[in-house]
Amino acid sequence: MPISEKEYNGYLMDQLELIERIEMVAKESKDLEAVLKQLALGRKFVERKLYQEPPLERS
């Protein structure tokens, strides 16, 4: 399924946001547990987009 450049850039921006949030927590807290919580939250957000209803692709 081809995607537009705008859509692809949106994916990259989402990933950068996740990385920046995790870096911020790691630098501020130096707490592995806090970093793991941010990773779990990021995974939840990605999975929500990945498995959204209705699906992006139409049959």
Side-chain angles (χ1 to χ4, degrees):
M1 172 175 70
I3 60 173
S4 70
E5 183 177 351
K6 183 177 181 181
E7 186 177 9
Y8 186 68
N9 284 340
Y11 297 148
L12 295 176
M13 294 300 290
D14 288 343
Q15 292 173 6
L16 282 175
E17 181 182 321
L18 175 63
I19 291 167
E20 290 170 358
R21 212 171 46 239
I22 294 169
E23 285 176 340
M24 182 180 65
V25 169
K27 289 175 184 176
E28 288 178 357
S29 69
K30 299 189 180 4
D31 179 6
L32 180 59
E33 193 63 34
V35 174
L36 291 173
K37 285 181 184 179
Q38 282 296 309
L39 286 169
L41 183 62
R43 178 184 300 274
K44 180 179 174 182
F45 292 157
V46 169
E47 287 175 348
R48 182 183 309 151
K49 291 175 186 174
L50 190 61
Y51 301 115
Q52 67 182 339
E53 289 292 331
L56 291 175
E57 185 176 321
R58 296 175 193 228
S59 302

